[in-house]
Structures are given as structure tokens and as C-alpha cells.
Amino acid sequence: MKNALLVALSFFSFATIFAQVTSERLEINWPVKERWKLLADNKDSMSRILEYAPQEATLTKWDTIIYVQTIKNIVAPSLDLVMSSYSKAALKESSKAIFTVIDKDESTKNFWVIYKVETADFPNDPVPESQLWYIVQGNETLFVNFIAVKEKTISDAFVAYWSNVFKSSKLIQAPK
């Protein structure tokens, strides 16, 4: 799904704002029972991507993985555009992907959405993968997060649990 994220980013290039005076972050309290470890930390001038998994996992061998992307200087014009971009990108990865919105709030400038993408298989990979996404528009940053499991579908209990984790997050503004 990393290629899907790159495709989706191209839709936001017109919404970039360059002058920034604060540093913004999304604080998520990840459950400690899984003992998450950092597998990857990649950054460039526009974004930072962190990937976490339980202690025994690797980047190539995992059952559950958390993906956290911070995209600086992006203010998307609408939640619909964000959801459309990512759903189209997911469908490019697999035409069998099922995209379902769980919850959203588009009533503020800091709109957010929780949705799931369930994929039974991919054209070049028979292993299923499903994700629960949480996307938040900050004041000057787009925060894209998901937890993925190698399952065809995500249970209601999984959705409820992780939706709570995501919804308890906080946007933090700090001086640069």
C-alpha cells in the first residue's frame, strides 16, 4: 500500500502551503501490550514515515504493522478529496479492495476520517491485507496513519478497539 500513498500524495500537491511558524504533531497513545518496536524511519523535506510492529516482526515478516506518515505543508481542501485520493490509490493496488468509512468529522478545519480497506488478495500477491486508516488534517500538516493485518477482513472488535486508540489522539502545536 506504500505505492497507494505516493499516488494519493500527488492529488494534494496543489494544496501546499510553504510559510510555517509552528511545528505540528499528532500524539497517539499506542497500546503498550504489543511492545511496539520501530522498524523504519524515513524522512525527506516533505514527509516522515514511521513503521512499527510487535517485537518479533520485521519489515518483511509481520502479521500486524502500524504506519504513521506526517506530510508537512499540506492543507487538503476537503475530506472528500482526501478519501477519494486514498480509495482510488487502494483500488489501483487491488481492484478487489473494499473501502468502508467507519466514522468521520468534516465539520471543522481539522477534519478526520476512520475507514477500513479490506483486500482478499493482490494481483501479484495472494496474501490478504486489511487496514484501518485514520487521517487527520492538521492546521498545516496531513497525518496519515493505519494499522494493517494480514487478514481478508477486519473484525468489528478490532475496528472498535483501534478506532478508540485513534480518536483519543491529540493535535499538538509547538513553536518551531
Side-chain angles (χ1 to χ4, degrees):
M1 283 306 208
K2 289 178 190 166
N3 291 339
L5 294 171
L6 295 175
V7 171
L9 276 176
S10 68
F11 288 93
F12 300 116
S13 61
F14 68 91
T16 302
I17 297 175
F18 292 100
Q20 305 300 317
V21 294
T22 63
S23 178
E24 189 173 33
R25 63 187 168 92
L26 182 66
E27 187 175 279
I28 299 175
N29 293 316
W30 301 108
V32 295
K33 70 180 180 180
E34 284 85 0
R35 296 179 35 231
W36 300 104
K37 73 174 180 180
L38 181 64
L39 295 178
D41 182 352
N42 299 299
K43 59 183 163 182
D44 59 29
S45 62
M46 187 175 166
S47 71
R48 183 174 189 186
I49 300 169
L50 302 169
E51 292 179 85
Y52 297 92
Q55 290 294 319
E56 65 281 354
T58 68
L59 273 175
T60 57
K61 187 176 179 181
W62 56 269
D63 292 322
T64 303
I65 197 164
I66 291 174
Y67 180 93
V68 177
Q69 184 173 27
T70 304
I71 309 166
K72 298 183 277 186
N73 306 324
I74 293 290
V75 179
S78 73
L79 181 58
D80 285 340
L81 178 63
V82 173
M83 291 188 313
S84 173
S85 297
Y86 283 100
S87 64
K88 284 178 186 174
L91 289 169
K92 258 188 164 178
E93 296 265 334
S94 173
S95 60
K96 298 177 183 179
I98 299 170
F99 179 89
T100 307
V101 174
I102 306 299
D103 200 1
K104 66 181 180 174
D105 182 355
E106 53 191 318
S107 65
T108 70
K109 75 175 186 171
N110 298 120
F111 58 74
W112 58 268
V113 62
I114 295 175
Y115 65 89
K116 63 182 178 177
V117 178
E118 297 172 308
T119 310
D121 60 36
F122 297 89
N124 299 321
D125 186 356
V127 178
E129 182 180 322
S130 295
Q131 302 138 352
L132 186 68
W133 289 67
Y134 177 55
I135 301 176
V136 179
Q137 176 63 65
N139 294 324
E140 59 201 31
T141 305
L142 186 66
F143 299 95
V144 179
N145 307 274
F146 68 75
I147 181 161
V149 292
K150 290 189 177 180
E151 302 288 337
K152 291 180 182 181
T153 60
I154 300 174
S155 72
D156 291 343
F158 183 94
V159 168
Y161 178 80
W162 284 100
S163 291
N164 262 352
V165 170
F166 290 141
K167 285 181 180 181
S168 67
S169 66
K170 295 181 180 98
L171 279 172
I172 307 291
Q173 296 288 328
K176 280 191 176 176

